[in-house]
Amino acid sequence: GLLEVLDPAVSGEVDLIEGLVTTGAIEVARNFLRFWSAPARLVAVNTGPAPVLLGFIDRQLRALIELTMSGGRITEVHVTASPDALAVVRAALAD
């Protein structure tokens, strides 16, 4: 199902590894499932026009996943996982 929503030329990156960009639906799907399959939980949040997911592992926020869409498909996946960047989101969730 994931491959059906990914653009064939989708790119994915995570802020923890600067400059490393994964391209192609199969590679992005493989990485996505490696990190976000069970027992991880993804929660969609309504932040505006672009879909955003919060990624939790053991009830701890581990990532903010931003999806760029075009033509009904995901064209970019950007994962923010650095603890400093997530501190603001964690603080907001605690309120």
Side-chain angles (χ1 to χ4, degrees):
L2 181 56
L3 288 174
E4 293 176 13
V5 297
L6 293 175
D7 186 86
V10 64
S11 64
E13 63 181 342
V14 61
D15 67 341
L16 295 175
I17 308 171
E18 189 174 330
L20 179 63
V21 178
T22 302
T23 57
I26 292 174
E27 289 301 315
V28 170
R30 184 177 290 134
N31 280 341
F32 196 87
L33 292 174
R34 185 174 94 190
F35 291 103
W36 301 110
S37 292
R41 297 282 183 243
L42 296 173
V43 177
V45 292
N46 187 5
T47 62
V52 174
L53 304 171
L54 299 178
F56 293 88
I57 299 174
D58 296 328
R59 295 180 177 242
Q60 298 292 316
L61 178 65
R62 301 300 172 116
L64 178 97
I65 304 161
E66 298 170 84
L67 306 174
T68 301
M69 306 289 294
S70 179
R73 290 185 172 237
I74 299 168
T75 57
E76 295 178 31
V77 178
H78 178 75
V79 180
T80 301
S82 72
D84 291 340
L86 292 177
V88 174
V89 179
R90 285 187 181 110
L93 291 173
D95 286 343

